[in-house]
Amino acid sequence: MADEDDIILSELDDDELVQQMHDDLYDGLKEEIEEAVNILVERGWTPYDILTKALVAGMTIVGNDFRDGILFVPEVLLAANAMKGGMAILKPMLVETGAPRMGKMVIGTVKGDIHDIGKNLVAMMMEGAGFEVVDIGINNPVENYLEAIEREQADILGMSALLTTTMPYMKVVIDTMKEKGIRDDYLVLVGGAPLNEEFGKAIGADAYCRDAAVSVEIAKEMVARKHNQMGA
Ligand code: B1M
């Protein structure tokens, strides 16, 4: 069996390289992930395909083994760090599309939750689609969201939650917006692995976004609809 050191990434074909990236992500090998991302870029892969087929797919494997007690927090942190290394290379390619400005979004992960990879991905793809994005990070109490949307005069508020224990906090934010009479001034989009459409509706969000690409589609459609209504 070949030793890890014997593998020359640039000599692998695309399928083997993607498979190797899944393994390297699993092992938290940031440099190898960065090298492989660069190779796929040179081979003409789109940033979106690299993200979804190599990085996100690899992270799904990590997630499954985390769930099943095969991987633990330190290993998953290394995998997340490797994933972020790959995402950092792709970010400028996703962001510099020259797309016309679509609107402004404030996005953050809710209080009690420190997962940020999905949120970062949504922020990157939204920027790539022409939205201005203000990322307020992780572990945000309601005050942070309210202060940011007002300060930034945002069109959209995006909230991310990855834990079943933190997703109800999205309702706290929306309810507070209602109490202050500002709910309808913003489009509220929510996302994160444990959410679904029904939950989005139940808490009073404008839409649940399954993934980053869907977030872009929904945001574009809703912003256009809002502009049309205002123009009518
Ligand atoms: Co955590 N974790 N984690 N974790 N972690 C999950 C979420 C879990 C499902 C793992 C599992 O058991 N299978 C599980 C939650 C179970 C549950 O709630 N029912 C879990 C747990 C339990 C925990 C801890 C409690 C573990 C512990 O300490 N015992 C702990 C909690 C810490 C906290 O937040 N308070 C914890 C910690 C961590 C790490 C720190 C080790 C690390 C996070 C590192 C980081 O983010 N910087 C981590 C990771 C990496 C994961 C998994 C493995 C991967 C998440 C991820 O990045 N996915 C995850 C397993 C899983 O999700 N399958 C897991 C890749 C990312 C691209 O996808 O985030 O789903 P995702 O984002 C998607 C969509 O969901 C959507 O678009 C994104 C891109 O397509 N989306 C949005 C997300 N946010 C959006 C916002 C939007 C729109 C769309 O706004 C408009």
Side-chain angles (χ1 to χ4, degrees):
M1 212 176 82
D3 188 86
E4 186 74 21
D5 294 339
D6 294 331
I7 297 170
I8 298 170
L9 295 177
S10 59
E11 289 180 354
L12 301 179
D13 69 27
D14 284 12
D15 286 348
E16 289 166 341
L17 184 57
V18 168
Q19 187 55 52
Q20 186 61 41
M21 287 173 79
H22 293 172
D23 292 350
D24 288 346
L25 198 68
Y26 195 92
D27 293 334
L29 301 176
K30 187 177 179 202
E31 281 176 22
E32 283 77 356
I33 287 295
E34 288 168 345
E35 185 187 340
V37 166
N38 281 322
I39 293 170
L40 288 179
V41 170
E42 278 164 25
R43 290 185 188 174
W45 278 51
T46 64
Y48 183 70
D49 272 355
I50 301 173
L51 266 176
T52 50
K53 293 181 183 160
L55 299 180
V56 174
M59 205 59 186
T60 304
I61 302 168
V62 171
N64 291 343
D65 279 5
F66 188 30
R67 179 197 59 211
D68 296 342
I70 298 165
L71 289 179
F72 296 95
V73 169
E75 291 135 330
V76 178
L77 266 178
L78 283 176
N81 191 41
M83 170 124 185
K84 284 184 177 182
M87 283 165 65
I89 296 171
L90 298 173
K91 183 173 178 180
M93 295 169 224
L94 283 166
V95 171
E96 286 164 19
T97 59
R101 286 283 137 213
M102 300 288 300
K104 197 171 197 179
M105 176 191 228
V106 163
I107 189 165
T109 304
V110 297
K111 186 175 164 184
D113 201 322
I114 62 168
H115 294 87
D116 67 355
I117 296 175
K119 165 187 70 62
N120 296 349
L121 201 48
V122 173
M124 273 161 52
M125 299 237 352
M126 290 288 290
E127 282 186 36
F131 287 88
E132 196 177 332
V133 177
V134 178
D135 184 345
I136 59 170
I138 54 173
N139 194 21
N140 283 290
V142 59
E143 299 78 26
N144 287 10
Y145 287 112
L146 298 190
E147 195 264 325
I149 50 177
E150 198 186 327
R151 181 189 68 231
E152 301 295 339
Q153 300 194 318
D155 304 291
I156 305 170
L157 169 62
M159 288 190 277
S160 179
L162 264 287
L163 300 171
T164 45
T165 48
T166 57
M167 60 191 235
Y169 195 76
M170 293 173 163
K171 184 168 183 319
V172 174
V173 178
I174 294 174
D175 285 350
T176 310
M177 290 171 81
K178 283 183 189 160
E179 277 163 28
K180 293 189 177 295
I182 58 167
R183 167 64 187 89
D184 294 337
D185 298 344
Y186 306 92
L187 290 170
V188 179
L189 306 183
V190 295
L195 279 64
N196 57 31
E197 193 115 24
E198 206 182 355
F199 174 80
K201 280 203 185 97
I203 63 168
D206 289 297
Y208 154 71
C209 307
R210 194 182 63 235
D211 60 29
V214 167
S215 304
V216 168
E217 277 168 34
I218 291 179
K220 275 184 176 169
E221 188 191 304
M222 288 196 158
V223 166
R225 207 185 306 154
K226 201 172 165 188
H227 285 167
N228 288 343
Q229 277 166 3
M230 277 161 37

